[in-house]
Amino acid sequence: MTDHHQPARGKPRVALVTCTEFAELEADDRLVIAPLAARDIAAEPVVWDDPAVDWAGYDLVVLRSPWDYMSRRDDFVAWAAGVPRLVNPADVVRWNTDKRYLDELRAAGVPTVPTGWVLPGESWQPPADGEYVIKPSISAGSQDTGRYDMADPEHRELAVAHVRRLGDAGRIAMIQPYLSAVDAAGETALLYFAGPQGLAFSHAIRKGPMLSGPDLGTEGLYKPEEISPRTATADQLAVAERTLAVVPGGTDRLLYARVDLIPGPDGTPVLVELELTEPSLFLGYAPGTPDRLAEAIHTHLTHAAT
């Protein structure tokens, strides 16, 4: 049994924050533990809402897979505000866990998927045709996310029911056009880790298309993903850099960032999400990636000690 109160003598202690369902971490996240140990850093998984944890006993607290916070985001944000040496920091967590940040990025000139919002209690009339994605503004892993063909009367009814279901739960619904180029190209996630000069590009992966139809409210914690390595293009890297350049507070404080892009109607990349809180980092999909993350953690520990 882990003792969350007694620091390991002589070694920096790092908490890898997770949730009860992944109490021993998701398999990909465990890949960083050995490279950290090689740097004489003791890392352990810790459940974010475990009341027995003494967070002050850690030299760094790294958000990894606390994927059950979506239904109690206010509690999670309040928890983050009380944790010392948290990365990414609590103000970033507050900003990034509500996808209405997309409006801020769009206003700053970042190409994003056009997004409308339906607040709880508001009525919503679906478009007459076209394919659309509906999801909550606070979500992860494509949970509570569906794809609807508005020319299909049944889909229109299901879309209205989806928005109503979210609103009845006090959640904000996002309405986005479905960009069909993703069916062939998939989604590209670009991963960045902290380095001596700030965030640096690490690697990229491809996610296969995930949305085949309406959400019926019966999915589990997250939908299965089809992942493969990908070489980022110059256009994708340029959009990612534009996105990161306008993150509130700057990127020097960040341990990691993930920029998720899909092809727009003209084929150029557009931002679908900026993941700064608890993204999968896909450590197993590029050589040396666990070491790069371990070195990023070491860099943050070094800065915290000075």
Side-chain angles (χ1 to χ4, degrees), residues 149-194:
D149 179 356
M150 297 305 182
D152 182 326
E154 182 181 1
H155 275 224
R156 287 170 62 83
E157 290 183 10
L158 289 170
V160 170
H162 189 170
V163 171
R164 184 184 303 118
R165 185 167 68 247
L166 293 175
D168 288 347
R171 306 173 79 184
I172 298 170
M174 302 171 59
I175 316 294
Q176 298 176 319
Y178 184 79
L179 302 184
S180 59
V182 75
D183 289 339
E187 181 178 317
T188 301
L190 286 77
L191 286 302
Y192 290 75
F193 296 150

Side-chain angles (χ1 to χ4, degrees), residues 26 104 140 182 184 191 202 245 248 291 294 298:
E26 192 267 338
E104 294 183 40
V182 75
L191 286 302
S202 169
D291 270 298
H298 181 264

Side-chain angles (χ1 to χ4, degrees), residues 87-173:
V87 285
N88 286 332
D91 62 307
V92 172
V93 171
R94 177 181 292 277
W95 180 76
N96 189 239
T97 49
D98 186 330
K99 291 181 176 59
R100 285 179 290 179
Y101 68 75
L102 289 170
D103 282 352
E104 294 183 40
L105 296 179
R106 186 177 183 85
V110 176
T112 65
V113 179
T115 306
W117 313 92
V118 183
L119 303 181
E122 290 185 340
S123 61
W124 177 70
Q125 182 67 27
D129 55 24
E131 284 195 287
Y132 286 81
V133 173
I134 297 174
K135 58 185 175 182
S137 67
I138 299 170
S139 66
S142 296
Q143 189 179 17
D144 300 311
T145 300
R147 171 181 171 184
Y148 300 88
D149 179 356
M150 297 305 182
D152 182 326
E154 182 181 1
H155 275 224
R156 287 170 62 83
E157 290 183 10
L158 289 170
V160 170
H162 189 170
V163 171
R164 184 184 303 118
R165 185 167 68 247
L166 293 175
D168 288 347
R171 306 173 79 184
I172 298 170

Side-chain angles (χ1 to χ4, degrees), residues 3 9 83 95 114 119 141 176 208 215 217 227 242 246 262-263 292:
D3 183 345
R9 186 181 301 274
V83 176
W95 180 76
L119 303 181
Q176 298 176 319
D215 177 78
I227 308 297
R242 287 175 62 186
V246 294
I262 58 176
R292 285 194 290 277

Side-chain angles (χ1 to χ4, degrees), residues 20-88:
T20 300
E21 183 164 343
F22 297 98
E24 297 303 319
L25 295 174
E26 192 267 338
D28 193 70
D29 282 333
R30 288 196 292 271
L31 296 176
V32 77
I33 293 177
L36 286 172
R39 290 163 172 80
D40 210 27
I41 298 168
E44 60 187 66
V46 190
V47 174
W48 74 272
D49 57 353
D50 180 350
V53 178
D54 175 16
W55 297 103
Y58 291 98
D59 298 284
L60 199 67
V61 179
V62 178
L63 287 163
R64 287 311 319 122
S65 48
W67 293 334
D68 61 354
Y69 74 83
M70 292 79 192
S71 63
R72 46 196 177 122
R73 182 249 182 178
D74 288 349
D75 291 342
F76 183 68
V77 168
W79 165 82
V83 176
R85 298 178 292 280
L86 179 72
V87 285
N88 286 332

